[in-house]
Amino acid sequence: AMDATSAPQVVEYANAGVDFTPFVARWIPCSPRFVCLGSNPRNTGAFAVYELSKGKLKQTAKITTPVGIKCGTFGASFFEKRQLATGDYKGQLNIWDVAKPEKAIYSVRAHSSIVNCIDGVGGLNIGGGAPEIVTGSRDGCVRVWDPRQTAPVCSVEPAKGEDPRECWGVAFGNSYNDRERTVACGYDNGDLKLLDLRTQKLVWECNVNNGIVDIQFDRKDIEMNKMVVTTLESRFRVFDMRTYHPTLGYSSLTKKSHKSTVWVGAHLPQNRDVMMTLGGNGTLNLWKYRYPAKRTEDDGKGNAKGVMGTLDLLNSKRFSEQPIVSFDWSLDKPGLCAMCSLDQQVRVAIVTKLDKV
């Protein structure tokens, strides 16, 4: 157990009320500003920019888009371009220039219904290869996009005649050179699928018993190391993605936390073994993963299987009565984070002493 005086503290720095339902908070690369995206009362989209200035949060821009926005990422944007990719309620994938957000600079009908989740890779100097975006939808499809073209690079569709399962989470990983790249997809029935983009094949699937809400690799630009999968029923799982066993697949550990849906799992950009989870009860939990002495063991038949470490809770803090549905660590300032919650609040917090864990 950690000595309370040396444990990281989670301190609220500033907050502001918003006049829409916020779903996404994302820092604008290399700036003290972040975007908050969501849906207005009349189902139009809200796109607001907030700046940290003199200890307060100031809204510096707000535009209304034709359709409510559900998800967004800067992951496929070059630093200097600051281009935000968003998914909306009508299945549209749009890319916006944050400096001139009045009109999307790229637009494609990505899905036949709401785009629930999105991730990007190849931008922000993270990950080898060209920038790509992945979207997951209520229509049961997961599609990968090259922002220079309007047809998907790759599409994972439900089998013909099968009732489509809603995709709630997507994440890029394994992008450690110009060829390798993996997408993890999570569905409302707990199905988890791993897609190898180089071969365009599904290489692994399992079921985690609860609807998957969020997925993140601890790093996108290294050989797969760890992956967090957050779910309904107050649970999340950490998978060790370094070792694949022919029958057991990837090893994992499960944690019960937050007494409600675990909405987000977010690894600290400056230390991949530190992670924040966000709960439907308005709490933030900060965790540290500790590796085992040996990460693999022989199963007795000559196959290696992964050995899990442990997850220590460093701190927990309640910020809201309502679910905190989005969270983003700053790439520039370790410990600085932005979040939004369904009580129509955006918040910036600072997590201290992260260099000590």
Side-chain angles (χ1 to χ4, degrees):
M2 288 196 71
D3 163 20
T5 53
S6 66
Q9 302 299 311
V10 187
V11 183
E12 183 163 329
Y13 181 73
N15 67 16
V18 300
D19 57 358
F20 56 91
T21 304
F23 293 124
V24 189
R26 293 284 177 264
W27 289 102
I28 298 171
C30 303
S31 84
R33 304 195 310 280
F34 66 91
V35 293
C36 185
L37 312 170
S39 177
N40 288 311
R42 296 198 171 159
N43 298 331
T44 54
F47 185 129
V49 178
Y50 292 87
E51 182 165 24
L52 272 182
S53 125
K54 303 190 178 81
K56 292 206 163 32
L57 269 183
K58 196 171 92 198
Q59 190 183 87
T60 57
K62 175 160 188 240
I63 63 154
T64 300
T65 64
V67 181
I69 301 175
K70 189 64 173 60
C71 52
T73 179
F74 282 103
S77 168
F78 297 112
F79 269 134
E80 55 284 1
K81 292 246 173 86
R82 292 179 175 171
Q83 291 175 351
L84 176 71
T86 62
D88 73 21
Y89 273 74
K90 289 202 169 151
Q92 203 79 6
L93 165 63
N94 291 309
I95 299 179
W96 313 82
D97 179 344
V98 172
K100 302 189 288 283
E102 293 71 32
K103 190 173 184 304
I105 55 175
Y106 170 99
S107 202
V108 65
R109 183 74 193 274
H111 295 275
S112 60
S113 59
I114 183 171
V115 183
N116 286 323
C117 47
I118 192 167
D119 194 20
V121 72
L124 306 181
N125 303 336
I126 297 172
E132 284 181 329
I133 295 160
V134 60
T135 54
S137 165
R138 180 176 293 163
D139 64 12
C141 300
V142 171
R143 297 199 168 111
V144 177
W145 307 88
D146 174 336
R148 297 166 302 189
Q149 34 189 73
T150 52
V153 175
C154 179
S155 189
V156 181
E157 320 261 338
K160 288 267 186 296
E162 187 182 285
D163 212 18
R165 303 308 317 200
E166 192 162 343
C167 179
W168 281 349
V170 287
F172 279 113
N174 211 43
S175 185
Y176 61 92
N177 63 25
D178 289 353
R179 295 178 306 283
E180 297 293 333
R181 199 169 272 181
T182 299
V183 169
C185 330
Y187 298 83
D188 64 354
N189 63 341
D191 281 351
L192 175 62
K193 298 182 179 181
L194 204 61
L195 172 69
D196 181 334
L197 284 181
R198 188 172 57 83
T199 59
Q200 299 212 354
K201 286 192 168 63
L202 282 171
V203 287
W204 176 66
E205 50 191 308
C206 74
N207 187 286
V208 299
N209 306 326
N210 300 109
I212 293 172
V213 186
D214 190 37
I215 308 175
Q216 196 188 55
F217 287 93
D218 62 359
R219 286 288 177 271
K220 294 177 188 180
D221 57 351
I222 59 172
E223 289 186 54
M224 289 190 295
N225 182 53
K226 297 193 310 296
M227 175 174 72
V228 64
V229 175
T230 72
T231 70
L232 305 178
E233 306 286 341
S234 324
R235 286 183 183 85
F236 68 92
R237 280 202 200 198
V238 175
F239 287 86
D240 186 317
M241 303 301 291
R242 276 285 151 98
T243 309
Y244 176 77
H245 185 276
T247 51
L248 303 170
Y250 296 100
S251 301
S252 69
L253 65 79
T254 303
K255 274 281 189 213
K256 216 163 156 47
S257 185
H258 297 286
K259 301 188 177 70
S260 62
T261 298
V262 186
W263 280 84
V264 177
H267 297 89
L268 182 68
Q270 297 82 7
N271 180 350
R272 69 183 185 206
D273 300 323
V274 173
M275 168 179 82
M276 192 74 86
T277 56
L278 279 72
N281 61 351
T283 55
L284 267 63
N285 283 1
L286 185 69
W287 306 86
K288 170 79 192 270
Y289 185 79
R290 302 193 190 278
Y291 293 97
K294 283 175 67 182
R295 285 184 71 174
T296 61
E297 64 185 20
D298 192 291
D299 66 354
K301 298 178 186 152
N303 297 309
K305 69 173 186 182
V307 177
M308 296 310 294
T310 54
L311 211 49
D312 294 350
L313 182 63
L314 300 180
N315 213 327
S316 178
K317 179 148 183 187
R318 190 161 192 196
F319 277 93
S320 163
E321 299 294 310
Q322 293 279 334
I324 302 173
V325 292
S326 183
F327 177 96
D328 198 34
W329 292 108
S330 165
L331 287 173
D332 312 315
K333 294 212 169 14
L336 188 66
C337 51
M339 63 192 115
C340 61
S341 48
L342 296 183
D343 57 2
Q344 298 193 314
Q345 290 280 319
V346 292
R347 290 181 173 83
V348 169
I350 296 170
V351 184
T352 64
K353 302 182 188 160
L354 284 169
D355 52 338
K356 306 274 193 299
V357 303

